[in-house]
Amino acid sequence: MAEHETTKDLAELVEPGSIVMLMTMVGEEHSSRPLTVAAVTDGTIEMLVDRTADWAEAIDEPATAVHLSLADVRHNVYASLPGTASLTPDRSEIERLWSPAAGAYFDGKDDPALAVLRYEVHGGEYWDAPSGRLGAAIALVRAAVTDDPGAAGDHGTVTT
């Protein structure tokens, strides 16, 4: 990857509709699950979740560690995003984030188990390379010909 690190804003990497992996660790037990991003605002990623799920109930426990990662193969972008999570059952927030796609996972926006998971990103790292098979192949050839591994893609820090 590039020898000098670059920075990208969180909103350049994650957008509504992106699928992220949320990992929770309570003591020695950890698990991960894919979640759909509903909004990205001022360094915070928001998702609609079922607050009655075991992993969601553990979010508010002080001993719970939470981490978010992104693997967007369509755009060949990957990110590791440390941060903190919180849940709110605020109906106005649910209404703001509701979309027809959310209806596939919940019994409507009035579902009593529905909550907003707010993930406040505290920086992180990203890896970015040209997307598509042709773009990736050209970047790899360019890196080999120029003897510059940075020509194959970008690596840097995430800003919020």
Side-chain angles (χ1 to χ4, degrees):
M1 292 293 161
E3 285 189 25
H4 70 288
E5 285 197 6
T6 58
T7 60
K8 283 195 178 181
D9 188 71
L10 178 66
E12 292 180 74
L13 301 168
V14 183
E15 59 190 25
S18 294
I19 304 297
V20 294
M21 289 296 289
L22 181 78
M23 186 278 300
T24 52
M25 180 170 240
V26 182
E28 297 290 318
E29 299 236 355
H30 70 275
S31 64
S32 297
R33 76 260 339 129
L35 296 174
T36 303
V37 173
V40 181
T41 311
D42 298 327
T44 301
I45 298 172
E46 296 173 306
M47 298 153 278
L48 294 171
V49 300
D50 177 349
R51 65 186 170 121
T52 64
D54 290 345
W55 65 267
E57 290 178 342
I59 292 283
D60 291 326
E61 293 177 19
T64 301
V66 183
H67 188 83
L68 199 71
S69 60
L70 168 73
D72 184 346
V73 295
R74 296 170 304 150
H75 299 108
N76 217 12
V77 174
Y78 307 88
S80 175
L81 304 168
T84 54
S86 62
L87 288 174
T88 179
D90 185 311
R91 300 324 283 176
S92 65
E93 291 297 302
I94 292 168
E95 176 77 30
R96 178 178 63 83
L97 297 173
W98 185 259
S99 70
Y105 299 99
F106 304 100
D107 293 331
K109 54 186 151 188
D110 295 323
D111 185 333
L114 193 55
V116 175
L117 178 108
R118 284 198 180 103
Y119 189 83
E120 184 179 333
V121 177
H122 301 162
E125 292 182 89
Y126 76 91
W127 297 262
D128 183 349
S131 59
R133 288 183 181 157
L134 181 59
I138 290 170
L140 288 174
V141 169
R142 186 179 319 128
V145 169
T146 63
D147 198 28
D148 176 12
D154 238 0
H155 170 251
T157 55
V158 177
T159 59
T160 57

